[in-house]
């Protein structure tokens, strides 16, 4: 498959049509590899050590994704959170995807910084190191020194990357729309919805002002955890393509030496990280999509620093409440409540097998509860297996559930790297109880009670009039019940189509009968040896008949599968 240099603007090398052909070539190559074709639950296994050999070579799949450019590196990272779309061997390979590329020449970086900030580089910084600290597909980070002597990290967007990403996203949206209309799997998984959400998240990540807001907000939310630190942004030196933040030095959690572990206990850091992220999700309604070990450093003063907050998903209050109840029920081993919450927040497809889902989800939660403290089935792995089971049984779960499972799995890996003896399940269970108490206390706050009283007052004020109106309608026999659906344009359009088809069919049949009867009429006007009028009528009838058949074959389509959402 042709590949492109990841550090070159693809807009200069290929037209939109050629780019579409390249993406289609990639999809065609892996059409039989099980990617994007749904899951075989019996073969699903999230344990990388026990994964079977898979056609298509997952590592080669990742290499080809990386070769397609920065957009598809991000696609790979997003797919690693979707066990309902991608088989387990490919998810394991996607988790190992490397997002480091050759750095852009410094003169191009200088031009981006000066254009974004509107000042010369030497005027904004006393020193700006040319060699980057790190270089990824979308940006690279440089160490710099401010005029007042403070050390900062400057994240600079790679030139031309926004244009490349937008063009790729337009192509993906078009392909996803066709897949949703033309394939059963598309109608089942709704690729268009996934691409739309991915587009929104990725374009927000490309605006570094949004990441600066995330840094500031996370720092404020985690202020109650002195073990955690989030570098603060410097707004005067931040723009859409440049992010300047405090420089925090430290050691990756996976590279902590044994000597340091003996000098400093890491259990407080691991516990604070888990509790802080649970607060972010269930109290503040935000999920950091990528808290992997590479984005966390143990600082020299013994704290844990959080970086790379570009991808943050926001969870609405109602869904947040359902996720909390589901996770709390799972930790407590209550499989029936887990099933109820999963169905309530999901979309039941036409082939939803509720009996199988209830049975196997209950067994999954029971197995998790029986392995308390074990890494073989942790909270994150439980969430991801629940998503896979839901998809196999015909229940489409919200993407936030997959994202929560992936986040918890990453946090568990970090906590295990910091302190292998930490009982993550106990930390999660204890803190969820604390979150529930805080939510209950908040619901009893004066402002919430006043809001509820206003609603009750409105109900009491309006109830007598509404009851009186209802009784009047009943007494005067003017009660009407309206059935929705009968006036919809699709129904009327279908009825008109049926009537037109019947009329055309009757006319066609009449023409055929008339031509057959006129064949016996002797006339001097003949065509190809047959009476001319009879032959013309027959040809006209044949043309109409062929047109009706072609119209039915080409324009008629199957009705959309019935889907049913849970109660709001």
């Amino acid at each position: 498959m042709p590949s492109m240099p990841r550090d070159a603007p693809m807009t200069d090398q290929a037209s939109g049509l050629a780019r579409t052909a390249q993406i289609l070539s990639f999809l065609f190559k892996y059409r039989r590899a099980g990617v994007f074709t749904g899951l075989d639950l019996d073969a699903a296994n999230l344990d990388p050590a026990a994964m079977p050999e898979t056609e298509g070579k997952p590592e080669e799949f990742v290499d080809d994704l990386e070769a397609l450019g920065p957009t598809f590196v991000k696609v790979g990272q997003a797919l690693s959170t979707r066990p309902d779309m991608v088989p387990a061997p490919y998810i394991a390979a996607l988790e190992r995807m490397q997002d480091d590329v050759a750095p852009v020449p410094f003169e191009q970086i200088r031009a981006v910084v000066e254009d974004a900030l509107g000042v010369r580089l030497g005027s904004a910084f006393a020193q700006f190191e040319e060699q980057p600290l790190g270089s990824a597909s979308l940006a690279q980070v440089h160490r710099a020194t401010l005029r007042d002597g403070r050390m900062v990290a400057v994240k600079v967007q790679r030139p031309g990357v926004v244009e490349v990403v937008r063009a790729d996203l337009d192509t993906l949206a078009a392909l996803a729309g066709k897949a949703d209309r033309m394939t059963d799997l598309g109608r089942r998984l709704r690729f268009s919805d996934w691409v739309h959400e991915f587009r929104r998240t990725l374009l927000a990540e490309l605006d570094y002002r949004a990441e600066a807001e995330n840094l500031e907000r996370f720092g404020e939310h985690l202020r109650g955890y002195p073990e955690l630190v989030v570098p603060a942004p410097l707004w005067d030196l931040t723009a859409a393509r440049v992010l300047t933040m405090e420089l925090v030095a430290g050691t990756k959690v996976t590279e902590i030496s044994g000597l340091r572990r003996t000098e400093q206990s890491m259990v407080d850091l691991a516990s604070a990280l888990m509790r802080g992220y649970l607060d972010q999700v269930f109290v503040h309604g935000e999920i950091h999509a990528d808290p992997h070990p590479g984005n966390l450093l143990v600082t020299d003063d013994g704290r844990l620093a959080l970086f790379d907050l570009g991808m943050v998903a926001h969870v609405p209050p109602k869904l947040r409440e359902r996720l909390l109840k589901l996770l709390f029920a799972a930790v407590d081993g209550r499989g029936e409540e887990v099933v109820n919450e999963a169905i309530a927040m999901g979309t039941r497809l036409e082939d939803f097998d509720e009996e199988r889902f209830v049975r196997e989800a209950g067994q999954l939660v029971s197995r998790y509860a029986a392995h308390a403290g074990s890494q073989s089935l942790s909270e994150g792995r439980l969430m991801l297996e629940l998503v896979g089971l839901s998809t196999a049984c015909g229940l489409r779960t919200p993407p936030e559930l997959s994202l929560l499972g992936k986040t918890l799995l990453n946090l568990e890996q970090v906590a295990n790297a910091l302190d292998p003896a930490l009982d993550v399940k106990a930390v999660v269970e204890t803190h969820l109880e604390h979150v529930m108490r805080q939510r209950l206390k908040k619901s009893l706050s004066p402002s919430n009670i006043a809001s509820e009283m206003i609603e009750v007052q409105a109900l009491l004020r309006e109830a007598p009039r509404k009851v009186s109106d209802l009784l009047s309608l009943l007494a005067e026999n003017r009660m009407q019940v309206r059935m929705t659906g009968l006036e919809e344009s699709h129904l009327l359009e279908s009825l008109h189509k049926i009537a037109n088809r019947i009329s055309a069919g009757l006319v066609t049949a009449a023409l055929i009968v008339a031509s057959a009867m006129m064949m016996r009429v002797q006339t001097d006007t003949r065509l190809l040896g047959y009476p001319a009028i009879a032959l013309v009528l027959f040809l006209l009838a044949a043309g109409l008949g062929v047109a009706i058949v072609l119209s039915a074959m080409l324009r008629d389509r199957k009705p959309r599968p019935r889907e049913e959402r849970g109660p709001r």
Side-chain angles (χ1 to χ4, degrees):
M1 187 190 69
S3 62
M4 290 185 177
R6 294 171 58 189
D7 55 350
M10 287 176 288
T11 52
D12 297 334
Q13 302 181 32
S15 65
L17 185 59
R19 183 61 169 164
T20 302
Q22 187 183 21
I23 296 171
L24 287 173
S25 174
F26 167 78
L27 296 175
F28 184 78
K29 178 178 179 180
Y30 292 96
R31 70 193 185 282
R32 300 185 184 278
V35 186
F36 311 116
T37 57
L39 294 180
D40 177 7
L41 184 67
D42 296 329
N45 189 344
L46 290 177
D47 185 4
M51 288 178 181
E53 291 294 328
T54 306
E55 181 186 356
K57 299 179 181 178
E59 299 295 341
E60 184 180 351
F61 174 77
V62 170
D63 292 340
D64 288 340
L65 265 181
E66 292 176 348
L68 283 172
T71 308
F72 289 87
V73 172
K74 291 300 178 180
V75 167
Q77 293 176 354
L79 287 177
S80 69
T81 68
R82 295 302 302 265
D84 55 333
M85 286 187 181
V86 184
Y90 285 84
I91 287 183
L94 290 168
E95 289 173 347
R96 296 189 291 270
M97 174 178 281
Q98 298 297 314
D99 192 12
D100 49 356
V101 298
V104 173
F106 181 70
E107 288 307 316
Q108 296 184 29
I109 293 297
R110 177 195 294 273
V112 172
V113 175
E114 292 180 349
D115 179 65
L117 300 182
V119 297
R120 295 186 63 82
L121 195 66
S123 301
F125 303 96
Q127 183 181 3
F128 196 100
E129 295 187 5
E130 297 187 9
Q131 186 66 27
L133 296 173
S135 179
S137 57
L138 299 181
Q140 57 192 53
V141 180
H142 292 256
R143 181 189 285 111
T145 306
L146 299 181
R147 288 291 179 179
D148 58 9
R150 285 182 295 168
M151 299 292 293
V152 294
V154 184
K155 185 176 181 179
V156 186
Q157 194 173 101
R158 298 170 74 91
V161 74
V162 174
E163 292 76 11
V164 172
V165 168
R166 288 186 182 276
D168 285 344
L169 289 174
D170 290 341
T171 301
L172 286 175
L175 293 176
K178 289 182 174 62
D180 287 354
R181 291 191 301 271
M182 300 171 62
T183 67
D184 291 335
L185 182 66
R187 288 187 287 269
R188 185 185 187 91
L189 294 179
R190 292 285 180 87
F191 292 123
S192 293
D193 293 347
W194 182 84
V195 171
H196 174 75
E197 182 65 22
F198 174 71
R199 180 191 188 98
R200 186 188 63 80
T201 303
L202 183 54
L203 291 181
E205 186 180 0
L206 288 171
D207 187 346
Y208 294 158
R209 293 168 297 188
E211 183 173 351
E213 292 176 356
N214 293 338
L215 288 169
E216 196 169 60
R217 194 169 57 255
F218 267 61
E220 180 67 26
H221 292 166
L222 297 176
R223 186 169 294 178
Y225 295 91
E227 302 92 345
L228 306 178
V229 58
V230 180
L234 279 69
W235 284 103
D236 292 341
L237 297 174
T238 294
R241 294 184 295 163
V242 175
L243 169 61
T244 305
M245 54 188 163
E246 296 174 343
L247 180 66
V248 180
T251 307
K252 289 185 178 181
V253 295
T254 54
E255 299 175 359
I256 301 174
S257 65
L259 177 61
R260 183 166 184 180
R261 291 181 184 278
T262 60
E263 296 175 348
Q264 176 189 352
S265 174
M266 300 291 172
V267 63
D268 291 338
L269 297 183
S271 176
L273 180 67
M274 295 295 301
R275 291 183 285 114
Y277 265 83
L278 289 173
D279 280 351
Q280 283 296 122
V281 176
F282 298 115
V283 177
H284 306 295
E286 295 180 322
I287 302 179
H288 177 207
D290 203 20
H292 63 76
N295 291 336
L296 298 166
L297 296 179
V298 179
T299 63
D300 297 335
D301 60 358
R303 295 185 294 172
L304 193 61
L306 283 64
F307 298 94
D308 196 6
L309 299 181
M311 295 182 67
V312 174
H314 299 272
V315 186
K318 192 69 176 180
L319 180 58
R320 190 190 319 168
E321 182 178 343
R322 292 198 181 281
L323 288 173
L324 176 60
K325 291 171 66 176
L326 186 147
L327 183 58
F328 194 75
V331 170
D332 205 31
R334 290 177 275 121
E336 295 84 357
E337 293 189 27
V338 171
V339 169
N340 292 337
E341 292 300 328
I343 293 177
M345 74 172 68
T347 301
R348 286 166 282 183
L349 303 181
E350 193 170 15
D351 58 346
F352 175 49
D353 189 346
E354 184 172 359
E355 182 180 353
R356 177 190 177 190
F357 179 69
V358 171
R359 181 180 67 255
E360 298 193 16
Q363 294 173 353
L364 179 64
V365 174
S366 299
R367 189 167 72 252
Y368 160 77
H371 291 78
S374 171
Q375 292 295 324
S376 60
L377 188 57
S378 57
E379 291 76 17
R381 203 172 299 279
L382 172 66
M383 295 294 107
L384 294 180
E385 289 200 14
L386 183 64
V387 170
L389 174 62
S390 302
T391 302
C393 294
L395 178 68
R396 186 194 304 132
T397 55
E400 288 82 1
L401 182 59
S402 300
L403 196 56
L404 174 62
K406 181 66 175 177
T407 300
L408 287 174
L409 198 60
N410 283 337
L411 290 175
E412 291 156 7
Q413 293 172 354
V414 174
N416 187 57
L418 289 170
D419 183 17
L422 179 68
D423 188 349
V424 175
K425 182 177 184 297
V427 173
V428 172
E429 185 173 9
T430 302
H431 197 68
L432 285 180
E433 294 175 356
H434 169 74
V435 171
M436 293 286 257
R437 288 194 297 268
Q438 292 299 316
R439 290 177 62 88
L440 180 60
K441 186 183 299 183
K442 186 177 180 180
S443 66
L444 297 177
S445 65
S447 59
N448 281 344
I449 293 177
S451 176
E452 297 292 339
M453 291 300 295
I454 291 174
E455 292 187 8
V456 172
Q457 181 186 18
L459 176 63
L460 293 176
R461 185 174 60 248
E462 297 291 333
R465 182 180 62 81
K466 291 184 180 296
V467 172
S468 176
D469 292 344
L470 178 62
L471 292 176
S472 298
L473 291 173
L474 288 173
E476 298 171 8
N477 197 25
R478 292 190 295 114
M479 175 70 72
Q480 296 180 355
V481 178
R482 178 175 299 174
M483 296 181 64
T484 61
L486 295 180
E487 299 176 359
E488 292 183 357
S489 60
H490 292 298
L491 178 60
L492 293 177
E493 181 183 352
S494 298
L495 292 176
H496 289 159
K497 185 184 295 186
I498 293 172
N500 292 338
R501 292 269 177 83
I502 293 175
S503 301
L506 290 175
V507 170
T508 302
L511 289 173
I512 292 175
V513 172
S515 65
M517 295 177 65
M518 294 186 68
M519 284 289 182
R520 299 181 179 182
V521 177
Q522 299 298 323
T523 176
D524 295 334
T525 307
R526 306 184 73 83
L527 187 64
L528 300 177
Y530 297 98
I533 296 178
L535 183 61
V536 169
L537 292 178
F538 177 78
L539 293 176
L540 181 60
L544 285 175
V546 171
I548 293 173
V549 172
L550 290 177
S551 175
M553 294 177 61
L554 298 178
R555 300 184 60 184
D556 288 1
R557 55 193 177 200
K558 295 180 180 179
R560 293 183 62 178
R562 184 176 60 86
E563 298 179 356
E564 184 178 353
R565 292 185 179 275
R568 294 178 62 87

